[in-house]
Amino acid sequence: MGFPEGFMWGGASSAYQIEGAYKADGKGLNVWDVYTHQPGHVKHFENGDVACDHYNKYKEDVALFKELGIKCYRFSINWPRILPNGVGEVNEAGIKFYSDLIDELIKAGIEPVVSLYHWEYPHELFKKGAWLNPESPLWFEEYVKVVVDAFSDRVKYWMTINEPQCVVGCDYMTGSHAPFMKHERCDLILMVHNVLLSHGRAVKYIREHAKQPGKIGIVPTAPVFVPKDNSKEAIEEARAKTFDMRNAGLFSVSLWSDPIFLGKYPEECKEFFGDSMITPSKEDMDLISQELDFYSCTIYYSSSTPVPDNVQYKENEYQGDPRTTINWVVHEDVMYWMCKFMYERYKKPIFVAENGMANMDWVSLDGKVHDPQRIDFTHRYLLQMKKAIDEGVPALGYIHWSVMDNFEWAHGYSQRFGLIYVDYATQKRTIKDSGYWYREVIENNGGNL
């Protein structure tokens, strides 16, 4: 048997990672546009100025997506391409680009799934304090209003914020993502709350003003612990560790999901943030915890408690373990336990927004791209998702990251996640073996796995 009828098989990208055209047609700058031009942040001093040139090649790309057979395409909208200053004047050329892209997808029979925010924060608003500014949720709402008014006649599926853990944790705690800053916890909890309020304002606007009923989610990443064995005790231990925010801190599941789905911050926040922990108003929590249609997340590998580097293996590692080229452990069981744990806690159908692997890909002498490891990886993870579905976990879809090779943030162009190979020197695209394999999976609705 295959996956549920109507299951949404998809591919994903994000604006900064593929679009390029970073100053074209009235677009404003985002923090990645600015800070990748400063040395020391990105491998080989690379940036997304051109990336995959999707801005100019979107019709060719959508034709390839159609050839892949994907049912939906998740993409983000580059905030300052729509509002160059983050608020105020609307850039009609930006509206036209995304409108044309949406039309092209629909013509190809592909459902557009819009991520409202995938880290393209307007630099003009960053200069005003970004997520630390109490006005930031209103700024986000103004942007969302423009997007929803323009595209909701054709867009039904909305993801508000991609990996909010990274929005605050990588951007402002570890400093590994633009704007590459490190703030104290007293700042971080304010940013967390403003990001959640921004999500809430987006949901409220879509519900009240979209031109057709929307299906809405947010996309946290899921640091899930996997049980040591199938004993009841091991499963309970893994579940408890997954939702105890002290294990993952700012990157935890519960910090970002409990306020939305349970209407409250986890108790451990008081310990983690100390005296800086806020006391949110009922009005704030009501805004944050509006009903969503599914639990969406990104999932790549299992989580572990921290151990000193080069001293011992983490609990999800072992000597000679399988790893992708980005050094992430291959542990397909995490897909099953993510589906189980998230559904049990949050009571929403699961929609996997990202899953995939970085691989050592190149064009072979026969002109093809052979990537058997990606096929095996995806096969393993999909089997685990199917196992959870067969045991009663409702699921709406699976979106492969990524639909094409792209700029991988601080790694630059050194990591290839795509189903489509991109030669960055020539911008030539080549569907990989994994892309054709994925097409067969979609054609059979997973029945051939």
Side-chain angles (χ1 to χ4, degrees):
M1 292 179 61
F3 280 65
E5 184 178 354
F7 191 78
M8 294 178 68
W9 298 96
S13 72
S14 85
Y16 186 76
Q17 292 180 275
I18 69 167
E19 283 181 4
Y22 86 113
K23 283 186 176 180
D25 299 333
K27 177 187 165 294
L29 298 178
N30 63 51
V31 290
W32 284 94
D33 293 322
V34 173
Y35 292 103
T36 55
H37 285 230
Q38 309 303 314
H41 296 312
V42 176
K43 193 170 185 177
H44 304 306
F45 198 16
E46 293 173 331
N47 56 57
D49 291 2
V50 176
C52 305
D53 197 27
H54 176 71
Y55 185 79
N56 294 304
K57 299 174 75 68
Y58 73 92
K59 288 187 177 182
E60 174 186 338
D61 291 338
V62 171
L64 289 172
F65 303 165
K66 182 178 182 179
E67 190 172 347
L68 289 175
I70 60 175
K71 304 298 185 184
C72 67
Y73 172 51
R74 177 183 171 231
F75 63 97
S76 73
I77 292 184
N78 197 327
W79 185 344
R81 195 179 293 284
I82 297 289
L83 293 165
N85 297 309
V87 293
E89 181 183 358
V90 175
N91 179 28
E92 294 300 332
I95 295 286
K96 183 180 187 304
F97 167 70
Y98 292 109
S99 184
D100 290 347
L101 172 60
I102 290 166
D103 287 346
E104 197 73 15
L105 289 167
I106 293 170
K107 187 170 70 173
I110 299 170
E111 183 86 44
V113 178
V114 169
S115 295
L116 290 164
Y117 182 72
H118 199 131
W119 312 348
E120 302 93 1
Y121 202 85
H123 188 244
E124 291 303 313
L125 295 183
F126 167 75
K127 292 190 290 186
K128 297 180 180 180
W131 302 111
L132 263 180
N133 192 312
E135 297 295 306
S136 57
L138 296 175
W139 299 338
F140 190 70
E141 182 181 33
E142 181 175 339
Y143 155 66
V144 169
K145 179 183 185 300
V146 174
V147 171
V148 171
D149 289 356
F151 308 134
S152 63
D153 58 330
R154 289 157 290 163
V155 174
K156 180 168 64 176
Y157 287 88
W158 303 91
M159 310 285 195
T160 57
I161 296 172
N162 181 77
E163 295 185 336
Q165 290 98 327
C166 298
V167 170
V168 179
C170 294
D171 297 7
Y172 295 102
M173 185 180 74
T174 67
S176 56
H177 283 180
F180 305 103
M181 301 183 75
K182 296 183 179 182
H183 282 251
E184 299 298 329
R185 291 187 184 186
C186 58
D187 291 341
L188 298 175
I189 184 55
L190 297 177
M191 294 183 189
V192 168
H193 196 60
N194 283 332
V195 169
L196 288 171
L197 287 172
S198 298
H199 157 80
R201 287 187 172 276
V203 174
K204 189 171 187 294
Y205 191 85
I206 295 168
R207 293 285 188 222
E208 294 177 355
H209 299 284
K211 295 173 184 177
Q212 61 177 312
K215 301 289 186 182
I216 311 172
I218 187 173
V219 189
T221 189
V224 172
F225 286 79
V226 170
K228 299 184 185 75
D229 53 49
N230 287 324
S231 68
K232 182 179 178 180
E233 293 76 16
I235 293 170
E236 290 305 315
E237 178 187 5
R239 180 186 288 108
K241 289 168 72 173
T242 293
F243 295 109
D244 185 339
M245 74 158 286
R246 290 169 295 191
N247 289 315
L250 211 65
F251 292 90
S252 69
V253 171
S254 57
L255 174 61
W256 295 97
S257 299
D258 281 13
I260 293 171
F261 294 95
L262 304 182
K264 60 183 180 180
Y265 281 97
E267 284 297 317
E268 305 92 83
C269 280
K270 297 173 184 176
E271 179 181 338
F272 184 81
F273 291 108
D275 293 341
S276 300
M277 183 57 197
I278 61 173
T279 303
S281 67
K282 181 181 183 302
E283 290 76 17
D284 279 0
M285 295 313 298
D286 286 347
L287 180 62
I288 290 168
S289 62
Q290 293 167 95
E291 191 77 11
L292 296 183
D293 296 289
F294 45 82
Y295 188 91
S296 190
C297 69
T298 69
I299 187 74
Y300 292 94
Y301 53 86
S302 59
S303 191
S304 64
T305 50
V307 297
D309 289 341
N310 301 318
V311 173
Q312 65 186 66
Y313 287 103
K314 299 174 183 178
E315 58 208 88
N316 63 338
E317 301 177 345
Y318 58 87
Q319 186 172 343
D321 54 18
R323 292 173 181 263
T324 67
T325 58
I326 205 170
N327 203 34
W328 296 349
V329 178
V330 178
H331 200 160
E332 64 266 24
D333 287 1
V334 71
M335 177 69 86
Y336 169 80
W337 291 109
M338 181 280 294
C339 293
K340 293 278 284 187
F341 288 163
M342 299 307 135
Y343 177 64
E344 288 168 357
R345 187 174 181 92
Y346 300 122
K347 312 299 184 188
K348 292 291 180 182
I350 302 299
F351 196 162
V352 173
E354 287 183 25
N355 171 250
M357 67 163 287
N359 196 34
M360 193 177 295
D361 305 328
W362 62 80
V363 179
S364 296
L365 290 173
D366 61 5
K368 300 177 181 179
V369 180
H370 305 296
D371 55 341
Q373 292 86 358
R374 181 172 291 106
I375 293 172
D376 187 74
F377 177 99
T378 311
H379 193 167
R380 289 169 180 268
Y381 278 71
L382 285 173
L383 286 175
Q384 292 296 316
M385 188 177 188
K386 181 64 163 53
K387 178 183 174 183
I389 293 170
D390 288 345
E391 293 181 9
V393 175
L396 296 180
Y398 169 90
I399 299 180
H400 191 280
W401 183 271
S402 59
V403 71
M404 61 199 301
D405 293 337
N406 54 45
F407 177 83
E408 183 52 35
W409 309 116
H411 296 278
Y413 295 94
S414 67
Q415 303 297 326
R416 293 184 178 271
F417 278 86
L419 296 169
I420 299 169
Y421 182 92
V422 178
D423 182 331
Y424 300 113
T426 65
Q427 293 297 341
K428 181 180 178 181
R429 277 80 156 134
T430 304
I431 296 178
K432 303 176 187 179
D433 287 355
S434 60
Y436 292 115
W437 174 86
Y438 191 48
R439 182 174 68 185
E440 292 181 4
V441 172
I442 296 168
E443 288 173 349
N444 289 278
N445 198 31
N448 59 335
L449 294 172

